[in-house]
Amino acid sequence: MYFTLSWDAETQQLHTQKTYVDQADKASRDSQTQDRCHVDPTRQYMMLQLYDGILTILPLLSKGKKKKSSEALSLGEPVPARIPEFFVRSSGFLYPRGEAEVHPKIAILYTDDRDSVCLCFKDLDFSPGGAGDPGSANIATVTARDDLELGASHIIPVPAPAYGLLVLAEVSITYIDDLSGESLMEPLRDPAIFVAWAPIDAQRWLLADDFGQIYLLMLIIEEAEVKGWKLDVIGTTSRATTLVYLGNGLVFVGSHQGDSQVIRIQERNIQVMQNLANIAPILDFTIMDLGNRSGETHSNEYSSGQARIVTGSGAFGDGSLRSIRSGVGIEEQGLLGDMDNILDLYPVSSQGEGKQTDTLAVAFADETRVFQFSADGEVEEKEEFMGLSLTQGSLYISNVPDNRLLQVTLSQVQITDLENGMVTADWSTRDKETITVASANNSHLVVSIGGSELVTLHLAKDLQMCAQRVFPEEGQIACIHVPSVCAGICIAGFWQSTSVTIMNVDSLEIIQRVVMSDDIAAVPRSLILTQLIPKEPPTLLIAMANGEVVTFAMDTTNFALSARKATILGTQGATFKTLPRGDGLFGVFAICEHSSLIYGSEGRMVYAAVTAEQASCVCAFDSKAYPGAVAIATPSDLRIALVDTERTTHVHTLKVNETVRRIAYSRKLKAFGVGTIRREIEDGCEIIDSRLKLNDEVMFKELDMFALNKDELIESCIRADLRDRSGQLSERFVVGTAYMDHDGKDVVRGRILVFAVGKERKLRLVNKLAVMGACRALGVVDGNIVAALVKTVVIYSVDGPDLTKLATYRTSTAPIALSIQGNQIAIGDLMKSVSIVSYTRPTHPGGAHALTEIARHFETTWSTAVAYIDEHTWLESDAEGNLMVLKQNVGGITPEDKRILHTISEIRLGEMVNKIQRVEVEESGSAVVLPRAFMGTVDGSVYLFALIAPSKQDLLMRLQQAIAARVQSPGNVPFNTYRAFKNAVRESDEPFRFVDGELIEKFLDCPSSLQETICEEVGVQTDVEEMRAMVEELRRIH
């Protein structure tokens, strides 16, 4: 299938110029190398190579009689032409030597049936057809040769004045004159596997090799004759899939297995100008839920910023771990300057409390600096400001009622009048006592003296002391908060008792007391009580020193706390700052190593990751010049920024420089088990080895590493709870391996390795077993290991240092995926779809363990992954980009009927899924869909699969049908054609009982009139507003 598009710069939209043309040919074999597209240098023809032995020629047509170089051309009707060369390595049009050459010349580099590398030159004789006739194309061989190097991989057409072509090989580069047949071969200084090239001009080309090196190739030409060439390495990039020279020394490096880049060619080196993140291919992934460590279930809104998907992406030198989470972006508006060691930020209005902010106070250890903003954004630093003491560091600055300004320093409190800048009230500590913490609302200020005493001052009564109290039983005061949302109280957190206490602000009498943890390291470090969710009690948020955030709902009548929940944001305590969201609601900015915005949405509290990774201080700064902005301090500077209102996807990369083949996550150990494959060149030889690494969950720091044997590669890795000799479950990492077969033997050997992780966080090999086959997949059932070997699935028990075989099941071809639920094991077979087996333990002493097949999908499907999603229901993906939902016919009449897995839903995803990971999400009666699995693909996509609530199934199916009929896709490709199931055995006309969430979300982009039309066609009692609200809820899921 192909179509043509154009870009409208004014409307910023793509427009279809030629509707899609389907070139599918069931009788032909797909190209075994790659699909290719070439354009004739004279701009008369385009050549497509989609099938072995077939070249498709498309004439390029212009509207006028004469073609201009800037004129847009249209594609004529495709004309297929057969060629005898099947295994094509490279091809292309040669540059014409003049008008004497009537027919375009094509060069084809291929492998013949004797495994010789050959090169042939062909003439294209194209005859345009008449009305309704596409024409004909005849491709005849002119000359051929078979004396090329076995490692030849690419041909590069050479323009005037030299003409001919270059052949790139692993140890040489050869110039061939297509007219005379003469050749000039020169060896490379070092062997290279070239993977891409791009022309710069008539004598220079850029080359890229398999290890990411970029070369500059220059032909040496004298009097139109090639005398040699010069090749220089100019830099290293991601492993290139394609190169595009953009002009002015800029090059686009498109990479499938690493980040794409824009580079600039400099003298003998390159400069990376831009990195474009790419997480393809996803070889494996795991879900790392930093939240819900206290036993709570997942929110149905699974995309809280703290649920991270960690992928093993890329290959070899571009291999990496990618942390993917949904979060809130920060858009920088301006930089105030370089400032080190900022302790806090305070927004101030010079016009008084309730007026728009125009001043920012910046607190340092020994001074306070003030910056005033004009309406047009001009910034002026004030030497003096409204009587504030600027020669000391400030603990608190805020506007208070009656046009006054409150400042708290280490030794005193003062209130100044904004009209004249005079100090109207002050209060100082006794002797040399120090104020350590301060918090205030519009009526009261509470300060901590020396960390052991609390004092309440009344703001309306010129800082008159209301109460004073020490807490010998609680210990040192860690943090305090005087809320505005709930008057009459203050809240304090204590070090030694790890408790949070709610007190009467006027008397400091204790109302409620909660001990947060028995762990002395879990100390409350920041407190805030605010209104996150409308029409709900205010929420108390407590940041613990161990990185945990604990939340409570507070009853405003008796100040009782309920609905305790806990979420891990990182490894260190967060600092809270409120940000207004309108209508009396606030968001809370949690500042830590993984800064997050906490807010309410759809009656739920949402943790959204924020891109301000280096933030040390934050405050709201809603000024006239920067409405709705925030001020953000980092360890080195101060800037103004806008916080996005919607979450987007954020990717954090840890370069591993090895292929991350498998990844497993242990919540208990707070670590990843990462299986990698490393490739290096030593003394001109390629060396491949494999290792298991233990990485920390937060910073991905490598804690330990275990090297596998020579020629042994990791195939599978899981975290498992296995039974030991005492019958107790112990957490382990289990690894399956395979040996590379260099001896030409048919049997591939492998091992099963079991690792324990001690308190010192080091890997220790506790069990190992050699198996007569590669261990492609692993699982756990009833505390025993399930291993997918060649043609067999085996259950092993752990008996001390040994693994004992308990039961086996022989598959149709080769098992490559496992999904275990209870005692049922779903096995994804390489060619024969899915079978379900049941594991049973012996019912009496001396009895046998057994694996019994209870269901099977009787279709030919090349499985890639499988996962349990619901009762008697499984999700399967295949190698041709399809998804199928299979359900066991447990209600069948005969035993044979009950063994059948029926396809109840199917759709063409268009990408091959490498892994399906089931997720456990709490069911909600009001939810439209219930998330059940994430899927990672070879093309770098992460998809969420969900089950539709029964009451919404018909509605969404009708909505999908109505939108598909009205929303235009690029190339005008029909939705049903694009998403219809298709494999080598059968094809469907449309997806079956599957809803494409991306298409449903297009409803929000439709004009109001079209939305009304769609709702009318859906034909249910749902108005536009209700439909829009439902689709917006679906969008928030991801």
Side-chain angles (χ1 to χ4, degrees), residues 436-738:
T436 56
V437 189
S439 179
N441 59 15
N442 284 340
S443 60
H444 293 83
L445 166 69
V446 178
V447 296
S448 170
I449 308 299
S452 60
E453 180 182 8
L454 283 184
V455 174
T456 300
L457 305 176
H458 205 297
L459 299 182
K461 298 179 180 179
D462 294 334
L463 300 178
Q464 176 182 327
M465 184 185 296
C466 300
Q468 182 178 10
R469 180 171 179 174
V470 294
F471 299 86
E473 297 180 355
E474 303 290 350
Q476 291 287 306
I477 299 164
C479 51
I480 57 177
H481 174 59
V482 183
S484 299
V485 70
C486 192
I489 63 171
C490 70
I491 309 169
F494 295 89
W495 283 95
Q496 280 81 354
S497 63
T498 68
S499 64
V500 170
T501 302
I502 302 173
M503 296 169 283
N504 184 297
V505 71
D506 288 306
S507 63
L508 296 180
E509 293 293 328
I510 296 177
I511 302 173
Q512 297 283 350
R513 179 177 179 272
V514 178
V515 176
M516 300 305 301
S517 174
D518 295 333
D519 184 1
I520 195 172
V523 178
R525 296 295 291 123
S526 184
L527 299 165
I528 212 158
L529 178 68
T530 191
Q531 192 72 43
L532 294 179
I533 304 172
K535 301 179 182 179
E536 294 288 340
T539 302
L540 174 63
L541 297 97
I542 305 167
M544 311 298 287
N546 62 357
E548 190 176 46
V549 173
V550 181
T551 63
F552 294 93
M554 177 180 283
D555 188 330
T556 56
T557 59
N558 58 11
F559 309 111
L561 301 178
S562 61
R564 173 173 175 151
K565 295 181 180 179
T567 297
I568 298 292
L569 290 188
T571 59
Q572 302 173 0
T575 302
F576 293 141
K577 286 296 183 75
T578 56
L579 301 179
R581 294 176 60 85
D583 297 328
L585 301 178
F586 293 84
V588 176
F589 201 112
I591 307 164
C592 56
E593 69 259 46
H594 296 296
S595 296
S596 300
L597 182 66
I598 308 170
Y599 62 96
S601 177
E602 298 293 326
R604 296 184 290 270
M605 187 164 50
V606 177
Y607 289 77
V610 179
T611 56
E613 296 286 348
Q614 299 297 318
S616 57
C617 307
V618 173
C619 75
F621 193 70
D622 183 18
S623 62
K624 190 171 183 179
Y626 301 103
V630 296
I632 300 177
T634 71
S636 59
D637 58 39
L638 176 62
R639 60 192 66 194
I640 305 297
L642 291 176
V643 180
D644 291 345
T645 57
E646 291 187 2
R647 292 173 298 180
T648 54
T649 301
H650 304 288
V651 179
H652 172 67
T653 302
L654 172 70
K655 293 291 290 182
V656 180
N657 300 320
E658 302 174 24
T659 300
V660 180
R661 183 74 174 89
R662 290 289 181 257
I663 180 171
Y665 172 62
S666 168
R667 176 181 293 186
K668 179 180 178 181
L669 299 173
K670 299 181 180 179
F672 293 98
V674 181
T676 67
I677 300 175
R678 180 177 59 174
R679 181 180 66 169
E680 293 182 336
I681 296 293
E682 295 182 5
D683 298 328
C685 297
E686 184 179 78
I687 305 298
I688 295 179
D689 58 20
S690 194
R691 301 180 289 181
L692 176 67
K693 298 182 178 182
L694 188 68
N695 290 73
D696 176 75
E697 72 170 7
V698 177
M699 302 307 293
F700 297 137
K701 177 184 177 182
E702 184 177 319
L703 304 173
D704 196 17
M705 182 270 292
F706 180 88
L708 300 184
N709 294 336
K710 182 181 179 181
D711 294 336
E712 185 180 22
L713 300 182
I714 194 163
E715 289 284 350
S716 52
C717 178
I718 62 169
R719 184 216 66 87
D721 292 319
L722 302 178
R723 295 191 185 278
D724 54 23
R725 284 184 172 180
S726 64
Q728 300 296 318
L729 293 177
S730 301
E731 188 168 44
R732 299 286 188 260
F733 284 110
V734 186
V735 172
T737 73

Side-chain angles (χ1 to χ4, degrees), residues 810-969:
R810 190 168 181 83
T811 58
S812 298
T813 56
I816 60 171
L818 298 174
S819 177
I820 301 172
Q821 180 69 19
N823 70 330
Q824 292 187 353
I825 305 171
I827 303 169
D829 190 87
L830 179 65
M831 295 177 62
K832 294 297 184 180
S833 195
V834 171
S835 58
I836 312 297
V837 299
S838 175
Y839 167 67
T840 54
R841 299 177 63 87
T843 57
H844 56 84
H849 299 257
L851 283 174
T852 307
E853 181 178 300
I854 60 174
R856 177 183 287 273
H857 185 223
F858 293 93
E859 287 190 15
T860 299
T861 300
W862 294 66
S863 300
T864 59
V866 63
Y868 174 87
I869 56 171
D870 204 1
E871 187 177 11
H872 306 299
T873 308
W874 290 264
L875 174 66
E876 179 193 12
S877 62
D878 70 12
E880 294 174 276
N882 299 299
L883 292 178
M884 292 156 285
V885 179
L886 308 176
K887 189 176 182 67
Q888 185 179 358
N889 184 23
V890 293
I893 299 175
T894 66
E896 288 74 17
D897 291 338
K898 294 180 180 180
R899 291 185 63 243
I900 298 176
L901 288 176
H902 289 288
T903 302
I904 62 172
S905 300
E906 63 183 20
I907 194 172
R908 181 173 178 81
L909 188 66
E911 302 178 43
M912 191 178 83
V913 175
N914 264 338
K915 183 174 181 179
I916 304 175
Q917 176 72 56
R918 171 180 162 82
V919 294
E920 295 284 351
V921 179
E922 179 184 9
E923 292 194 35
S924 172
S926 61
V928 179
V929 298
L930 180 64
R932 276 299 185 222
F934 282 102
M935 300 177 292
T937 74
V938 172
D939 292 329
S941 300
V942 177
Y943 290 92
L944 175 64
F945 172 86
L947 297 176
I948 304 173
S951 61
K952 301 294 184 181
Q953 289 178 3
D954 183 65
L955 172 62
L956 288 179
M957 293 291 290
R958 289 174 178 268
L959 180 60
Q960 175 175 261
Q961 184 178 4
I963 296 175
R966 287 170 171 79
V967 175
Q968 295 297 318
S969 64

Side-chain angles (χ1 to χ4, degrees), residues 107-298:
I108 297 178
L109 181 70
Y110 66 99
T111 304
D112 65 10
D113 53 6
R114 300 188 306 274
D115 289 335
S116 299
V117 179
C118 307
L119 176 67
C120 68
F121 299 100
K122 297 177 177 288
D123 281 344
L124 169 61
D125 184 5
F126 184 85
S127 301
D133 181 12
S136 63
N138 180 40
I139 300 178
T141 301
V142 179
T143 58
R145 56 193 302 163
D146 60 0
D147 58 347
L148 299 180
E149 180 191 323
L150 288 177
S153 59
H154 292 76
I155 59 174
I156 301 178
V158 177
Y163 297 106
L165 57 83
L166 293 169
V167 178
L168 305 182
E170 293 183 6
V171 297
S172 67
I173 295 179
T174 303
Y175 168 76
I176 298 176
D177 188 319
D178 61 297
L179 197 61
S180 65
E182 296 180 356
S183 63
L184 175 63
M185 188 274 288
E186 293 186 11
L188 297 174
R189 184 184 306 111
D190 297 306
I193 302 174
F194 295 110
V195 294
W197 61 272
I200 297 177
D201 53 33
Q203 287 185 246
R204 295 181 300 166
W205 291 265
L206 287 170
L207 310 181
D209 72 7
D210 199 37
F211 287 82
Q213 291 192 105
I214 300 295
Y215 302 79
L216 180 62
L217 171 65
M218 183 175 69
L219 280 184
I220 301 173
I221 301 175
E222 296 179 2
E223 298 180 354
E225 185 178 348
V226 175
K227 298 297 184 181
W229 49 262
K230 184 179 180 182
L231 185 69
D232 294 312
V233 178
I234 59 174
T236 302
T237 65
S238 301
R239 193 268 192 193
T241 302
T242 185
L243 295 174
V244 179
Y245 183 69
L246 305 175
N248 298 321
L250 293 176
V251 182
F252 172 71
V253 181
S255 178
H256 174 68
Q257 64 184 45
D259 291 342
S260 295
Q261 298 170 312
V262 177
I263 63 174
R264 181 183 296 278
I265 302 174
Q266 298 177 331
E267 188 176 353
R268 293 192 172 276
N269 62 21
I270 61 173
Q271 178 186 3
V272 177
M273 307 298 293
Q274 184 179 6
N275 273 294
L276 305 172
N278 166 43
I279 64 173
I282 298 175
L283 302 180
D284 196 7
F285 72 91
T286 187
I287 298 169
M288 176 189 173
D289 186 11
L290 287 179
N292 301 297
R293 293 288 177 89
S294 300
E296 294 86 353
T297 56
H298 298 252

Side-chain angles (χ1 to χ4, degrees), residues 368-385:
T368 301
R369 298 172 65 180
V370 175
F371 300 89
Q372 193 164 32
F373 290 71
S374 65
D376 58 0
E378 294 293 327
V379 184
E380 179 186 0
E381 183 172 1
K382 295 290 187 178
E383 298 294 332
E384 296 181 351
F385 182 77

Side-chain angles (χ1 to χ4, degrees), residues 323-344:
S323 172
I324 306 168
R325 56 178 178 167
S326 173
V328 174
I330 297 290
E331 181 183 353
E332 185 176 326
Q333 299 294 298
L335 179 67
L336 267 68
D338 295 335
M339 302 180 199
D340 298 334
N341 304 315
I342 296 175
L343 298 182
D344 215 337

